[in-house]
């Protein structure tokens, strides 16, 4: 790979010293099955809700689908080589549930299991630690046909699937996450309707949010019953909820948003109870919770994954909104961020709030005295810089990563136990409802030819990993 770009490309940024990371800090990159694999109807894979959703006209930008994606399924050897060239020490990927269980339960597709087994062997051959996520939103259509996670039984099917994968890969994969950002599948998928399966029903969203939590707890128990040598965790996307630029933002609204987005996930897992104030807010919307459920969810974990992109900057709310309307409105709160008040934002329109990253990690450390070690399981940005003479000088991505890694280091200095960092993403991919135009990769993908071109950020990240430090930036 090419050498890193010179620091002088950053104009008007303050000088920053080099920042070393703790010894044994784990450096990696992340992807997810539906976003990269392609081969959607090959190798015995069954359909998922994301196949159905992306094939429904009007749901995904430009009618894009994950049919081919990065064709990672066929290019897995080359992609692992790419990771080796980047010096990755770890790779976070997700398993397509319907590739291994085409109907979501029952019949096992050995060819699908063999694909992940091959990936894991390739990683281990090159000294790259695998970190597998079981659910990154691509629920098998066969389970959606029985109401997906609206159906309590799906939590048990998830536990069966978790046990199956540990049985197949647990001799080699030690780091496992049950879920990725379960908030997104619940609320973007069932309240906002912008993710699969595309429902707009607040009660369904809360029901899914609970059954995902239950599935997490049952999954952890099933995996521990298979093997005792696993590092089990889950991946949440917490965020600060702030009123920046919006002095009128309502305290009560902000408390509710914080409850739905943050405390709903951490409290049952770490404290064994849902937040009482939020249960009051939700009332009958949370009827799916049964006595004893939180005890199932409250399982000891070896680690937790934090995905962080930006702070939720809340705008004032309309006074006439009832709590049910808030539930409906909430998922779109991202669209009401005051990003226009920030001088810079990414191609997603997301504000850049690295100071919030430190605050968030410190808050979790303060609020939960049994917080397990943390890994940053996703952090990154979408920018589409041009290829000029075969080179992509994505200095805004380098700047974003620099700022966020410094923020992580600040949190570590304040006592937070952060053990590793997985950049999102290894390569450009299917960015859900936004299709292929939002480019998050350290590696650029030409979606016509599927050619891979490492951006300057890939070389920069390689050097960060090698030195175990973020380099100095000249003023
Ligand atoms: C996260 C998702 C990941 C990717 C990034 C940009 O919410 O977990 O799949 O879409 O956002």
């Amino acid at each position: 790979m090419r050498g890193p770009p010179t620091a002088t490309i950053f104009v008007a940024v303050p000088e920053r010293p080099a920042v070393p990371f703790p010894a044994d800090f784990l450096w990696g990159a992340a992807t997810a099955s539906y976003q990269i694999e392609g081969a959607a109807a090959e190798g015995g894979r069954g359909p998922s809700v994301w196949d159905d959703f992306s094939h429904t006209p009007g749901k995904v930008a430009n009618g894009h689908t994950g049919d081919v994606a990065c064709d990672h399924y066929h290019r897995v050897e080359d992609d692992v080589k790419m990771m080796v060239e980047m010096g990755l020490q770890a790779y976070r990927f997700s398993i397509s549930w319907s590739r291994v269980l085409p109907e979501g339960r029952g019949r096992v597709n050995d060819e699908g299991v063999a694909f992940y087994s091959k990936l894991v062997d390739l990683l281990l051959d090159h000294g790259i630690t695998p970190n597998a996520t079981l659910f990154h939103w691509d629920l098998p259509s066969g389970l959606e046909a029985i109401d997906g996670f609206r159906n309590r039984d799906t939590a048990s099917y998830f536990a069966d699937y978790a046990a199956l994968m540990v049985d197949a890969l647990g001799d080699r994969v030690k780091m496992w996450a049950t879920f990725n950002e379960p908030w997104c599948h619940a609320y973007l998928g069932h309240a906002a309707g912008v993710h699969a399966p595309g429902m707009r029903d607040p009660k369904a969203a809360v029901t899914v949010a609970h059954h995902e939590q239950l599935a997490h707890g049952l999954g952890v128990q099933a995996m521990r019953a298979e093997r005792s040598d696993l590092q089990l965790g889950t991946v949440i996307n917490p965020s600060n909820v702030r009123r920046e630029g919006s002095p009128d933002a309502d305290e009560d609204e902000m408390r509710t948003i914080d409850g739905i987005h943050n405390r709903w996930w951490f409290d049952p897992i770490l404290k064994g109870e849902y937040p009482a104030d939020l249960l009051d807010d939700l009332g009958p919307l949370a009827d799916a919770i049964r006595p004893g459920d939180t005890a199932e969810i409250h399982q000891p974990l070896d680690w937790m994954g934090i995905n962080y992109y930006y702070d939720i900057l809340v705008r004032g709310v309309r006074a006439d909104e009832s709590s049910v309307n808030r539930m409906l409105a909430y998922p779109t709160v991202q669209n009401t961020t005051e990003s226009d008040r920030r001088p810079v934002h990414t191609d997603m329109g997301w504000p850049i709030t690295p100071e919030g990253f430190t605050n968030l990690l410190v808050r979790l450390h303060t609020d939960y005295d049994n917080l397990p070690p943390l890994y940053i399981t996703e952090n990154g940005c979408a920018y589409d810089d041009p290829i000029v003479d075969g080179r992509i000088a994505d200095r805004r991505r380098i700047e974003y990563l620099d700022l966020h890694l410094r923020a992580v280091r600040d949190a570590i200095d304040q006592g937070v136990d952060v053990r590793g960092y997985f950049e999102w993403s290894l390569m450009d991919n299917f960015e859900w409802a936004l299709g292929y135009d939002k480019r998050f990769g350290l590696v650029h993908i030409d979606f016509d030819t599927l050619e891979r071109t490492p951006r300057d950020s890939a070389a920069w990240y390689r050097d960060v990993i090698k030195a175990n430090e973020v380099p100095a930036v000249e003023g």
Side-chain angles (χ1 to χ4, degrees):
M1 272 190 285
R2 282 166 228 107
T6 56
T8 48
I9 56 172
F10 299 115
V11 267
V13 292
E15 191 175 331
R16 298 168 209 160
V19 170
F21 274 71
D24 299 329
F25 194 80
L26 190 67
W27 296 99
T31 62
S33 46
Y34 190 70
Q35 294 182 274
I36 65 163
E37 283 181 9
E42 286 177 60
R45 179 181 179 275
S48 78
V49 289
W50 268 98
D51 296 272
D52 303 334
F53 190 73
S54 64
H55 280 269
T56 307
K59 297 296 185 192
V60 173
N62 308 310
H64 289 164
T65 74
D67 288 0
V68 177
C70 307
D71 197 32
H72 170 72
Y73 184 78
H74 294 118
R75 294 163 194 251
V76 59
E77 283 94 351
D78 287 347
D79 288 344
V80 172
K81 264 188 220 144
M82 206 163 73
M83 297 177 210
V84 173
E85 278 162 25
M86 219 182 280
L88 296 190
Q89 299 166 345
Y91 174 54
R92 173 175 180 249
F93 61 96
S94 80
I95 293 166
S96 156
W97 187 342
S98 63
R99 195 178 281 294
V100 296
L101 287 159
E103 289 85 35
R105 55 187 167 148
R107 185 176 63 88
V108 176
N109 174 34
D110 292 333
E111 212 178 326
V113 176
F115 168 72
Y116 295 107
S117 189
K118 178 169 91 178
L119 167 65
V120 166
D121 286 343
L122 285 166
L123 293 170
L124 292 175
D125 283 351
H126 292 96
I128 299 174
T129 302
N131 177 344
T133 296
L134 288 164
F135 183 75
H136 200 125
W137 312 344
D138 42 358
L139 185 83
S141 305
L143 293 179
E144 182 58 24
I146 56 162
D147 293 338
F149 273 112
R150 280 133 22 238
N151 180 345
R152 190 178 168 91
D153 292 345
T154 297
S156 304
Y157 299 133
F158 175 81
D160 296 344
Y161 156 56
L164 171 81
M165 293 320 298
V166 161
D167 187 45
L169 306 178
D171 56 334
R172 289 157 292 153
V173 179
K174 301 303 171 190
M175 263 191 112
W176 292 86
T178 50
F179 277 74
N180 175 77
E181 302 192 4
W183 175 87
C184 293
H185 181 64
Y187 290 95
L188 298 180
H190 299 81
V194 297
H195 274 195
M199 290 178 66
R200 293 180 64 89
D201 174 346
K203 184 152 189 175
V206 180
T207 303
V208 168
H210 175 58
H211 289 157
E212 287 183 297
Q213 287 283 58
L214 185 62
H216 160 78
L218 298 182
V220 167
Q221 294 175 57
M223 293 160 93
R224 294 240 193 261
E226 286 293 320
R227 297 186 73 95
S228 58
D229 62 345
L230 304 176
Q231 296 285 307
L232 301 185
T234 188
V235 172
I236 310 292
N237 55 324
S239 189
N240 298 300
V241 182
R242 306 204 259 132
R243 57 151 62 101
E244 179 177 293
S246 200
D248 300 338
D250 179 82
E251 278 295 338
D252 203 41
E253 174 78 6
M254 289 177 38
R255 179 191 52 73
T256 305
I257 293 172
D258 179 64
I260 295 167
H261 206 94
N262 300 317
R263 292 177 290 125
W264 172 275
W265 308 103
F266 287 91
D267 280 20
I269 290 174
L270 297 173
K271 295 181 172 172
E273 58 192 19
Y274 280 111
D277 63 302
L278 184 60
L279 292 181
D280 271 358
D281 290 344
L282 296 174
L285 292 174
D287 276 352
I289 303 170
R290 292 192 192 162
D293 284 357
T294 47
E296 302 284 6
I297 299 167
H298 183 42
Q299 298 300 317
L301 292 182
D302 304 293
W303 62 279
M304 286 183 91
I306 304 297
N307 292 357
Y308 178 83
Y309 291 91
Y310 62 95
D311 278 1
I312 296 170
L313 308 177
V314 179
R315 214 173 244 172
V317 269
R318 293 187 303 277
D320 61 350
E321 276 182 324
S322 70
S323 111
V324 171
N325 282 345
R326 282 207 304 256
M327 291 301 307
L328 270 170
Y330 172 61
T332 59
V333 85
Q334 292 180 8
N335 301 329
T336 69
T337 57
E338 295 281 308
S339 54
D340 48 330
R341 291 176 189 270
R342 288 255 162 175
V344 277
H345 52 81
T346 70
D347 281 359
M348 296 291 278
W350 293 346
I352 299 177
T353 55
E355 71 287 356
F357 200 3
T358 309
N359 295 344
L360 177 74
L361 294 169
V362 171
R363 173 198 172 180
L364 294 172
H365 171 69
T366 308
D367 285 1
Y368 300 97
D369 54 15
N370 59 344
L371 187 72
L374 301 180
Y375 286 84
I376 308 308
T377 32
E378 285 182 28
N379 173 242
C381 51
Y383 285 119
D384 190 7
D385 293 299
I387 307 190
V388 180
D389 296 333
R391 177 174 171 186
I392 306 168
D394 57 337
R395 56 183 189 269
R396 292 172 298 175
R397 179 171 289 98
I398 294 172
E399 171 76 352
Y400 180 99
L401 297 178
D402 173 282
L403 292 171
H404 287 78
L405 283 169
R406 285 168 193 277
V408 172
R409 178 69 235 201
D410 286 346
I412 295 172
D413 288 341
Q414 291 180 51
V416 188
D417 186 1
V418 185
R419 302 268 176 100
Y421 177 92
F422 293 81
E423 202 273 346
W424 183 274
S425 177
L426 174 66
M427 53 188 159
D428 294 343
N429 56 50
F430 176 78
E431 180 42 40
W432 307 111
L434 302 174
Y436 293 103
D437 292 345
K438 302 295 178 213
R439 293 178 174 272
F440 274 91
L442 293 167
V443 174
H444 173 273
I445 305 272
D446 178 324
F447 287 103
D448 293 324
T449 63
L450 296 169
E451 191 187 344
R452 278 98 165 115
T453 307
R455 295 186 166 96
D456 279 356
S457 56
W460 178 87
Y461 193 50
R462 174 202 62 199
D463 291 351
V464 167
I465 297 172
K466 198 162 169 213
N468 198 35
E469 80 173 25
V470 174
V473 178
E474 288 172 21

